Amino acid sequence: MMKLKVWGGAGEHGRSAYVLSGSDIHLLLDCGVKREGAGEYPLIEPELVLKLNAVFLSHAHEDHSVAIPMLYRLGYQGEVWTTRETAAQVESYFESWRAFTERSGGPLPYEEADYKAIRYRFLDEAAARLTWFEVVPGVEAMWGRSGHMAGSVWLLIRAEGKEIFYSGDYTAESMLLEDDSPRGVRKEAIYADLAIIDAAYGTDAESQNDKLELLEKTIRSTLDQGGKVLLPVPATGRGQEMLLWAYRTYRDTPIVIERGLLNGMERLLSSPEWLRERDGYTGRDMKAQVERFLRREDLLVPGHEDDRIRLLDTLGASIWFITDGMMQSELARWYYEQLREDPRHLVLLTGHASKGTFAERLLRQPSAYGVCAVKKLKYKVHQGCEDVRRMMSAMPARHNVLVHAVKEETDRLRSRLLEEVEAAHDQVQIHSMSASEELWF
């Protein structure tokens, strides 16, 4: 028997951390934080940290990565297995989290020396995609691209006679990034023992095309009124995809881009193995499409505040892409100050807004801050109901744990899925869990 212990990430959005424990082997999948209050950290058990044989990091986002230095603070001596691209990105997330804790007045439970103590091993150097390799004696692993951001992966692990699948953050609908379906990677007819599945969108069954259609109509409505649309997005991830989409969709509309998003686009060219081979919209080579975008002569990229003020004054209906999806940064708030007094303008959030962040407060009570519109429409970078169904079909497991969403939502999704699964697969169990809970499998 092995045990799953949830240190965070199930029944909540953030601080993903899942411990797999057997009689001799102890593994940790991710170790992130949650941007609520002064910051929340995984429910780490110090005595178990010393027993860990290996740590895996699925991708760089803070809710999966930023608590890793706590492990070294508590005496972990081992390695963190991830991709080279992820390791190159994480420093910026650590810096962002450090700035957040300073602003919020919360403690940072580790020091710079603990961050520098991290020893990375690279999945993509140890083995090719969809290939088994030995991590440590008694543990084998396989990885595939998860489509969530450059460097992001899913994992399939063998230890103590068990097979465990971890989806990481997964989407098969990225227009820019490739994903490797886990379907068919296990040759055995039997079920995997455990699957930990990204279910961030819960019972939402809409496709990316559905989301894009609504986004297009909403943005078009604001532009037709002569308004400006402010799109706060992460510096890496959906921001680059949305840029390409916006330039295709609004060909005659000025689009202003903060430099950090272009830096993320340039990074993709240095690691083209994460890109789709072909652009699903044009059928052309995806890398060439990114290169062509970066060579555009009409890119509006402000270099400093005077540039921003000039563009705000001279442009009418326009789209503005800025970094920081939760609008915690000084720059994001500066932009809001410029737009808040005109009801024609729109702040459009497309991802998760953690409780207490400026983005969440705007959504909850927009009239308390200004008269411009504030809306949230998802751009898919995670899985909803239909995606979870497909993943459970592609990687059948006896125990399926739904994660990355609040407990009420995974409860609803579990109930919906059980109606179908129980009739066809009496060996399959679906779990909606919370932090600190355990599951033997």
Side-chain angles (χ1 to χ4, degrees), residues 355-405:
K355 185 177 179 181
T357 61
F358 187 60
E360 186 268 340
R361 297 200 304 273
L362 275 180
L363 276 172
R364 183 163 33 90
Q365 199 174 3
S367 61
Y369 298 91
V371 298
C372 71
V374 181
K375 295 182 180 180
K376 180 179 177 180
L377 298 174
K378 291 175 187 171
Y379 182 92
K380 282 189 74 175
V381 291
H382 291 280
Q383 297 195 126
C385 182
E386 296 301 318
D387 310 298
V388 172
R389 279 195 184 100
R390 283 190 287 269
M391 180 159 280
M392 289 177 62
S393 172
M395 178 58 66
R398 296 188 188 282
H399 294 274
N400 299 269
V401 180
L402 308 175
V403 301
H404 219 312

Side-chain angles (χ1 to χ4, degrees), residues 136-435:
V136 293
V139 179
E140 291 181 294
M142 175 192 293
W143 66 277
R145 296 170 294 184
S146 71
H148 181 70
M149 67 183 298
S152 66
V153 298
W154 54 257
L155 295 158
L156 186 59
I157 295 169
R158 288 175 177 163
E160 298 197 3
K162 302 289 186 179
E163 285 198 1
I164 302 100
F165 175 73
Y166 177 45
S167 71
D169 287 2
Y170 188 96
T171 180
E173 296 186 84
S174 169
M175 66 177 69
L176 184 62
L177 301 173
E178 188 59 271
D179 66 289
D180 298 307
S181 171
R183 186 178 298 278
V185 299
R186 296 181 67 254
K187 305 306 180 187
E188 302 84 350
I190 59 173
Y191 293 100
D193 297 282
L194 173 69
I196 303 171
I197 300 175
D198 173 11
Y201 298 153
T203 55
D204 186 343
E206 290 184 338
S207 69
Q208 186 74 291
N209 286 337
D210 296 329
K211 304 292 187 190
L212 290 175
E213 183 177 339
L214 184 55
L215 277 169
E216 180 179 354
K217 290 179 180 177
T218 302
I219 292 172
R220 185 76 66 189
S221 176
T222 296
L223 297 175
D224 288 346
Q225 297 176 60
K228 295 177 173 65
V229 179
L230 185 68
L231 281 160
V233 293
T236 55
R238 69 178 182 272
Q240 285 71 38
E241 292 195 29
M242 293 187 69
L243 273 176
L244 293 178
W245 170 77
Y247 270 86
R248 286 176 186 156
T249 306
Y250 306 98
R251 295 179 183 274
D252 299 322
T253 300
I255 300 177
V256 181
I257 313 166
E258 282 295 327
R259 166 51 63 181
L261 288 161
L262 287 187
N263 293 342
M265 192 77 82
E266 291 166 355
R267 274 202 67 85
L268 290 172
L269 292 180
S270 66
S271 302
E273 65 272 19
W274 301 99
L275 294 173
R276 290 196 181 277
E277 183 177 345
R278 296 283 170 187
D279 182 338
Y281 182 78
T282 64
R284 297 173 180 168
D285 180 88
M286 181 59 82
K287 182 181 178 184
Q289 291 283 84
V290 174
E291 291 171 335
R292 190 174 297 110
F293 174 84
L294 289 169
R295 290 197 302 268
R296 292 181 68 118
E297 296 182 354
D298 60 344
L299 295 178
L300 299 175
V301 186
H304 46 73
E305 187 171 307
D306 288 345
D307 283 347
R308 297 182 184 104
I309 292 172
R310 176 180 56 81
L311 289 168
L312 284 164
D313 288 343
T314 57
L315 295 178
S318 48
I319 299 172
W320 297 68
F321 279 89
I322 66 169
T323 54
D324 188 3
M326 298 194 196
M327 301 188 69
Q328 291 288 86
S329 66
E330 290 183 10
L331 180 61
R333 300 200 190 193
W334 181 88
Y335 268 109
Y336 179 75
E337 285 297 315
Q338 314 312 305
L339 302 181
R340 69 186 183 94
E341 295 299 340
D342 191 331
R344 295 176 302 165
H345 300 327
L346 169 66
V347 177
L348 185 53
L349 304 169
T350 55
H352 178 67
S354 294
K355 185 177 179 181
T357 61
F358 187 60
E360 186 268 340
R361 297 200 304 273
L362 275 180
L363 276 172
R364 183 163 33 90
Q365 199 174 3
S367 61
Y369 298 91
V371 298
C372 71
V374 181
K375 295 182 180 180
K376 180 179 177 180
L377 298 174
K378 291 175 187 171
Y379 182 92
K380 282 189 74 175
V381 291
H382 291 280
Q383 297 195 126
C385 182
E386 296 301 318
D387 310 298
V388 172
R389 279 195 184 100
R390 283 190 287 269
M391 180 159 280
M392 289 177 62
S393 172
M395 178 58 66
R398 296 188 188 282
H399 294 274
N400 299 269
V401 180
L402 308 175
V403 301
H404 219 312
V406 296
K407 183 69 160 54
E408 295 80 7
E409 190 61 26
T410 53
D411 284 344
R412 285 191 289 268
L413 178 58
R414 175 179 179 271
S415 296
R416 183 174 298 185
L417 294 171
L418 279 176
E419 293 174 3
E420 307 159 8
V421 169
E422 287 181 339
H425 306 285
D426 58 358
Q427 300 181 75
V428 173
Q429 296 186 46
I430 303 174
H431 307 272
S432 173
M433 302 178 66
S434 298

